[in-house]
């Protein structure tokens, strides 16, 4: 079976500090990978998605970047965090080869910027 | 513009009081509609996929249905452990999913 790991679970960072959130998937190959941000009372905002190593699509202009150095590893980064980067960040995967399959989510990272 | 709207935003039910949650969508070329359950501080947990109008899926006290413009999540005789936020998402061609803002369900013992 497939599993997705996301860490850390919570993170408190000062404004202007760098960020690195990591997500890995086990039990499948060539997944589609996604980063979302979820604000309180709002839906999931797609930040980035990737269909393969080194292939990143960005959905909104922002202070964040994403990388996919390995097939099942997806990293969300920032060089200098802003207060507005606070939120709940979710990583998800879906089968690439099986068409219209659902996404499966990690347990998220609660990021607080001070 | 592709849009997914869920109603109501919040719902309080007595234990055993059945009800329905609504997800309406305006997406051309629907490739799938997905229901998720999200507990506080956790990621969404996949429940159901519906692909075509008239399709139904069931799991324990939950039943999801799909028409050409909306989907319903019916909850029969809910229990307190059914309390959570329920999200729906739609997918059209491509790799993107569009999520609603969810319905927060509270089941009171």
């Amino acid at each position: 079976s497939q599993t997705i790991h996301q860490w850390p679970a919570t993170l408190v960072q000062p404004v202007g500090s760098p960020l690195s959130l990591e997500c890995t998937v086990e039990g499948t190959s060539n997944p589609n990978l996604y980063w979302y941000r979820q604000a309180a009372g709002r839906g999931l905002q797609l930040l980035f998605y990737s269909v393969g190593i080194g292939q990143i699509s960005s959905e909104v202009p922002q202070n964040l970047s994403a990388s996919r150095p390995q097939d099942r590893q997806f990293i969300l980064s920032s060089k200098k965090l802003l207060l507005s980067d606070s939120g709940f960040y979710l990583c998800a995967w879906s089968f690439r080869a099986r068409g219209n399959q659902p996404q499966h989510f990690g347990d998220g990272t609660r990021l607080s910027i001070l | 513009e592709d849009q997914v709207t869920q109603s109501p935003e919040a719902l309080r039910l007595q234990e055993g009081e059945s009800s329905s949650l609504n997800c309406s969508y305006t997406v051309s070329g629907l490739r799938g509609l997905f229901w998720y359950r999200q507990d506080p501080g956790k990621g969404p947990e996949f429940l159901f996929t519906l692909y075509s109008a008239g399709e139904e899926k069931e799991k324990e006290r939950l039943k999801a249905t799909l028409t050409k413009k909306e989907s319903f999540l019916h909850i029969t005789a809910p229990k307190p452990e059914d309390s959570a936020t329920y999200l729906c998402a739609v997918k059209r061609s491509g790799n993107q999913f569009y999520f609603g803002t969810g319905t927060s369900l509270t089941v009171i013992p």
Side-chain angles (χ1 to χ4, degrees):
Chain A
S1 64
Q2 300 81 26
T3 56
I4 179 169
H5 302 280
Q6 193 179 340
W7 67 94
T10 58
L11 189 60
V12 180
Q13 293 284 96
V15 170
S17 63
L19 173 73
S20 181
L21 302 181
E22 190 164 341
C23 171
T24 59
V25 179
E26 297 178 356
T28 187
S29 298
N30 305 314
N32 288 335
L33 296 173
Y34 306 81
W35 279 111
Y36 287 90
R37 177 166 56 206
Q38 186 177 33
R42 302 185 66 178
L44 277 67
Q45 179 188 31
L46 179 63
L47 301 175
F48 302 95
Y49 70 91
S50 172
V51 298
I53 295 174
Q55 300 180 61
I56 309 294
S57 295
S58 174
E59 288 304 300
V60 292
Q62 59 203 319
N63 187 40
L64 302 169
S65 62
S67 62
R68 185 170 177 173
Q70 300 181 45
D71 181 47
R72 290 170 290 174
Q73 183 185 29
F74 206 22
I75 297 172
L76 184 68
S77 303
S78 174
K79 292 183 179 179
K80 285 187 176 182
L81 286 167
L82 307 172
L83 283 174
S84 58
D85 291 323
S86 292
F88 190 49
Y89 288 84
L90 290 160
C91 181
W93 72 273
S94 67
F95 285 108
R96 186 193 316 172
R98 298 188 193 178
N100 303 306
Q101 296 293 310
Q103 295 175 314
H104 301 275
F105 288 84
D107 274 341
T109 295
R110 175 73 59 191
L111 176 63
S112 299
I113 310 300
L114 303 180
Chain B
E1 179 183 335
D2 296 327
Q3 200 164 13
V4 180
T5 304
Q6 290 189 247
S7 62
E9 289 186 10
L11 182 63
R12 289 171 63 89
L13 300 173
Q14 292 290 331
E15 184 172 0
E17 179 187 1
S18 301
S19 188
S20 296
L21 313 181
N22 178 262
C23 172
S24 63
Y25 60 92
T26 54
V27 171
S28 57
L30 181 73
R31 293 290 187 266
L33 186 141
F34 309 93
W35 281 99
Y36 292 85
R37 169 194 170 123
Q38 187 174 23
D39 292 306
K42 298 290 187 180
E45 175 190 352
F46 169 68
L47 294 173
F48 302 110
T49 304
L50 301 166
Y51 289 112
S52 57
E55 190 173 359
E56 297 181 353
K57 294 278 181 69
E58 283 190 72
K59 180 180 180 180
E60 297 181 354
R61 295 176 292 282
L62 300 177
K63 179 180 177 181
T65 61
L66 180 65
T67 71
K68 288 186 177 180
K69 293 186 177 181
E70 59 191 349
S71 176
F72 292 93
L73 184 65
H74 306 278
I75 303 176
T76 302
K79 298 182 177 181
E81 53 262 41
D82 294 322
S83 297
T85 295
Y86 291 85
L87 299 168
C88 77
V90 300
K91 183 180 185 293
R92 54 179 177 85
S93 59
N95 296 304
Q96 294 184 42
F97 294 72
Y98 300 87
F99 281 82
T101 53
T103 293
S104 176
L105 174 66
T106 303
V107 181
I108 305 163

